[in-house]
């Protein structure tokens, strides 16, 4: 049995139970005062009127008297039998049926059977006849009213409860079908771009769909990261693998001197190191790009952090390039130290790699109105204006042949991803032959 049906049935059952209980309660309370018999009612109402007759300033006080009550019509006559007040049922008056005190009579008129009860109230100065007439088939009794109400109202309330309950539960659970079909299309067809994107519906369902959508998004990112990593890695590893296989082939051939073996092994080691470095970089970049790794941000002093990064960066050969710093003190921001060090070192490495012998590199940090700017300036070969847009792309290199000191074209895309991870961006200004300035703005 579905939740919808269960909920509706439960509430309907409860409504029925409560209604029945209220009905029983009302019946018990009213049991004593309820007069189902018309004759009994007639006598009671006429005598009730008789008790309430009052004489005020020589006149009858009609205010407290009932002319019509629960099916009983009352007419008032004077001592002489002349009608004073009250409606007369057509054709039935004191002449048709003479007044006769305290006697219950039955008569037929207009094709109906009536009951009549008269009483005389003696007020000393004057007297008053009260005549009550009720249709013998009259069902104006309270019990009758209760029964009618019970059998018409109760089913209506029950129907209303069933209908309303079903409608509410049905509309509340309808989004569930959407969630299920989105989950199905992901698991069946592998369509990771499917989203529930619930716009209308109960707030709980909207929250549920939002968290499902977030989960689907992360899933999609993870799969996309894996796909991209596999594609990039297989593409980039093809060359070193070919070189390694060729060297193995070469070494296996006959008449090889120990020198030849050593040279082949050197090439193999070099290519393997290159592959290892590439895989590391690629993995880091893919994880960062697709948000599959969690990097914590910490509020740290960037002014103290950057000089430490620069100190770690020590070029090995003697190209005579001088590294200078211009750091504004006391700048604190939230950043991830490992990632920030990586970005700065990539920029410094490039500045060194593409800088001129005996040149200068300037690492500076400034706080501006827009935020914090970290820049690395060199006076090296610069970048052609038509290449500026491409340098942040994965694997892009202006001239791979020139790249003797390693490098795979991933360094700047890593810098870009790191800047974006910190909510910032990276830009470059360059003049061929004069040098370049890379700026990370956060
Ligand atoms: P890699 O340096 O490993 O080739 P990068 O992504 O770091 O890869 O850089 C991509 C390309 O951008 C480089 O191959 C180079 O042509 C160019 N480039 C990067 N930095 C500089 C620089 N400071 N001066 C001149 N060209 C640069």
């Amino acid at each position: 049995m579905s939740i919808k049906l269960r909920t509706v049935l439960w509430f309907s059952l409860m409504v029925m139970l409560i209604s029945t209980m209220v009905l029983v309660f009302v019946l018990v309370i009213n049991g004593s005062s309820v007069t189902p018999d018309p004759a009994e009612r007639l006598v009671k109402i006429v005598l009730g009127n008789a008790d309430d007759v009052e004489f005020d300033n020589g006149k009858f006080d009609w205010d407290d008297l009932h002319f019509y009550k629960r099916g009983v019509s009352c007419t008032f006559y004077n001592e002489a039998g002349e009608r004073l007040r009250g409606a007369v049922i057509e054709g039935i008056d004191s002449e048709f049926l003479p007044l006769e005190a305290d006697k219950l009579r039955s008569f037929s008129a207009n094709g109906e059977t009536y009951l009549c009860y008269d009483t005389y109230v003696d007020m000393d100065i004057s007297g008053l006849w009260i005549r009550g007439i009720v249709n013998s088939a009259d069902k104006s009794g309270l019990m009758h009213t209760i029964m009618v109400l019970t059998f018409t109202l109760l089913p209506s309330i029950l129907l209303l409860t069933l209908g309303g309950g079903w409608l509410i539960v049905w509309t509340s659970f309808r989004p569930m079908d959407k969630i299920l079909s989105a989950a199905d299309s992901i698991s069946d067809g592998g369509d990771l771009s499917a989203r529930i994107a619930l716009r209308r519906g109960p707030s709980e369902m909207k929250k549920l769909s939002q968290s499902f959508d977030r989960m689907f998004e992360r899933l999609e990112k993870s799969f996309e990261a894996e796909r991209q990593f596999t594609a990039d890695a297989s593409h980039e590893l093809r060359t070193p693998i070919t070189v390694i296989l060729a060297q193995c082939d070469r070494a296996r051939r006959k008449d090889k001197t120990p020198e030849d073996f050593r040279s082949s092994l050197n090439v193999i080691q070099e290519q393997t190191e290159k592959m290892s470095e590439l895989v590391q970089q690629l993995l880091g970049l893919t994880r960062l790009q697709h948000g599959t790794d969690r990097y914590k941000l910490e509020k740290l002093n960037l002014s103290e952090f950057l000089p430490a990064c620069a100190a770690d960066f020590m070029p090995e050969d003697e190209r005579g390039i001088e590294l200078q710093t211009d750091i504004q003190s006391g700048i604190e921001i939230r950043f991830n130290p490992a990632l920030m060090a990586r970005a700065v070192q990539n920029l410094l490495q490039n500045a060194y790699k593409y800088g001129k012998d005996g040149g200068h590199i300037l690492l500076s940090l400034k706080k501006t109105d827009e935020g914090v700017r970290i820049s690395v300036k060199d006076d090296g070969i610069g970048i052609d204006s038509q290449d500026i847009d491409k340098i942040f792309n994965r694997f892009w290199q202006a001239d791979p042949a020139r790249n003797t000191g390693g490098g795979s074209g991933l360094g700047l895309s890593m810098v870009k991803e790191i800047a974006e991870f910190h909510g910032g961006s990276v830009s470059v200004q360059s003049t061929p032959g004069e040098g370049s300035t890379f700026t990370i703005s956060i």
Side-chain angles (χ1 to χ4, degrees):
M1 203 193 276
S2 71
I3 302 178
K4 295 177 202 175
L5 199 63
R6 270 190 244 179
T7 318
V8 173
L9 279 182
W10 167 252
F11 282 110
S12 306
L13 209 80
M14 278 297 139
V15 168
M16 229 165 75
L17 204 79
I18 292 169
S19 311
T20 316
M21 271 167 62
V22 169
L23 182 72
V24 169
F25 184 72
V26 167
L27 288 183
V28 168
I29 294 287
N30 287 300
S32 52
S33 59
V34 167
T35 50
D37 176 15
E40 212 176 303
R41 206 165 356 117
L42 171 69
V43 175
K44 212 169 178 179
I45 289 170
V46 169
L47 292 180
N49 265 340
D51 284 346
D52 289 340
V53 172
E54 270 176 31
F55 215 52
D56 196 13
N57 289 335
K59 284 180 175 176
F60 287 111
D61 184 1
W62 300 106
D63 290 349
D64 293 338
L65 303 177
H66 298 284
F67 295 94
Y68 183 84
K69 195 176 175 186
R70 283 159 51 199
V72 177
S73 307
C74 291
T75 318
F76 301 86
Y77 301 90
N78 64 13
E79 291 164 312
E82 289 158 356
R83 190 171 67 84
L84 297 175
R85 288 286 166 106
V88 178
I89 300 173
E90 212 184 323
I92 307 169
D93 55 18
S94 53
E95 277 168 33
F96 173 79
L97 190 73
L99 292 160
E100 197 174 337
D102 305 322
K103 198 168 168 199
L104 190 67
R105 289 172 290 170
S106 167
F107 65 92
S108 293
N110 314 326
E112 303 265 1
T113 308
Y114 292 93
L115 293 173
C116 175
Y117 185 80
D118 301 335
T119 193
Y120 184 72
V121 186
D122 190 356
M123 304 293 286
D124 298 339
I125 327 159
S126 161
L128 184 70
W129 279 96
I130 303 171
R131 161 165 287 183
I133 294 177
V134 69
N135 191 317
S136 66
D138 186 85
K139 292 187 167 54
S140 307
L142 186 57
M143 181 70 95
H144 174 73
T145 315
I146 290 171
M147 286 304 171
V148 169
L149 282 181
T150 305
F151 289 106
T152 54
L153 224 64
L154 212 64
S156 317
I157 290 176
L158 200 69
L159 269 177
L160 209 73
T161 313
L162 270 167
W166 180 262
L167 200 76
I168 291 171
V169 175
W170 184 71
T171 46
S172 306
F173 279 89
R174 204 167 40 158
M176 204 63 145
D177 300 337
K178 231 180 149 188
I179 295 175
L180 282 177
S181 78
D184 277 351
S185 78
I186 286 180
S187 68
D188 294 349
D191 175 15
L192 290 169
S193 64
R195 297 284 182 276
I196 304 162
L198 199 67
R199 307 233 178 284
R200 282 189 297 167
S203 53
E204 297 92 335
M205 287 289 170
K206 273 197 214 150
K207 273 189 198 149
L208 185 72
S209 98
Q210 277 160 7
S211 36
F212 265 107
D213 277 348
R214 276 199 297 276
M215 187 182 80
F216 292 153
E217 199 173 311
R218 265 191 77 73
L219 264 179
E220 188 187 11
K221 276 188 177 170
S222 296
F223 280 102
E224 175 56 24
E226 192 187 294
R227 195 197 58 73
Q228 180 140 29
F229 176 78
T230 317
D232 288 344
S234 56
H235 180 261
E236 289 306 307
L237 294 177
R238 206 169 292 153
T239 317
I241 288 173
T242 313
V243 174
I244 290 170
L245 286 175
Q247 286 300 324
C248 293
D249 222 31
R250 191 175 151 226
R252 265 205 302 267
R253 276 192 221 128
K254 282 183 188 163
D255 307 330
K256 289 286 162 214
T257 61
E259 276 315 301
D260 291 332
F261 280 124
R262 201 165 292 126
S263 138
S264 289
L265 278 176
N266 283 344
V267 174
I268 289 171
Q269 183 172 7
E270 198 181 285
Q271 291 298 323
T272 314
E273 278 167 2
K274 203 171 159 187
M275 276 164 54
S276 157
E277 168 71 15
L278 185 87
V279 169
Q280 284 297 326
Q281 277 197 10
L282 207 51
L283 207 58
L285 183 61
T286 312
R287 281 175 176 165
L288 192 64
Q289 208 165 29
H290 295 279
T292 45
D293 260 9
R294 300 234 172 265
Y295 293 99
K296 267 196 197 148
L297 292 176
E298 295 167 52
K299 192 166 171 114
L300 295 169
N301 190 320
L302 194 61
S303 309
E304 286 168 13
F305 183 78
L306 284 190
C309 281
D312 285 346
F313 174 76
M314 288 301 292
E316 288 133 24
D317 56 22
E318 291 96 30
R319 289 178 58 202
I321 297 178
E322 195 190 335
L323 173 60
Q324 298 165 342
T325 53
D326 175 15
I327 307 283
Q328 188 180 329
S329 62
I331 299 182
E332 276 199 3
I333 60 163
R334 284 172 63 79
F335 64 95
N336 180 279
L339 292 178
M340 188 58 84
R342 184 105 187 242
V344 172
Q345 291 200 348
N346 280 4
L347 289 180
L348 288 175
Q349 238 160 34
N350 280 352
Y352 185 80
K353 211 163 28 171
Y354 307 108
K356 70 171 183 212
D357 291 352
H360 299 87
I361 301 172
L362 176 67
L363 167 67
S364 55
L365 171 69
K366 267 195 183 63
K367 192 168 189 171
T368 66
D369 288 345
E370 288 91 46
V372 168
R373 284 165 180 266
I374 305 160
S375 53
V376 176
K377 185 173 189 255
D378 67 63
D379 48 7
I381 59 169
I383 305 160
D384 279 345
S385 55
Q386 78 257 23
D387 292 340
I388 292 272
D389 291 343
K390 303 174 206 152
I391 55 169
F392 294 105
N393 293 348
R394 278 182 172 207
F395 300 118
W396 191 87
Q397 292 177 306
D399 179 7
R402 192 182 54 196
N403 212 331
T404 47
S408 49
L410 288 174
L412 284 182
S413 31
M414 188 79 189
V415 174
K416 182 170 172 257
E417 288 302 327
I418 293 173
E420 284 171 3
F421 174 83
H422 288 91
S425 62
V426 60
S427 61
V428 60
Q429 276 186 327
S430 183
T431 315
E434 285 184 23
S436 318
T437 307
F438 285 85
T439 309
I440 298 175
S441 312
I442 296 175

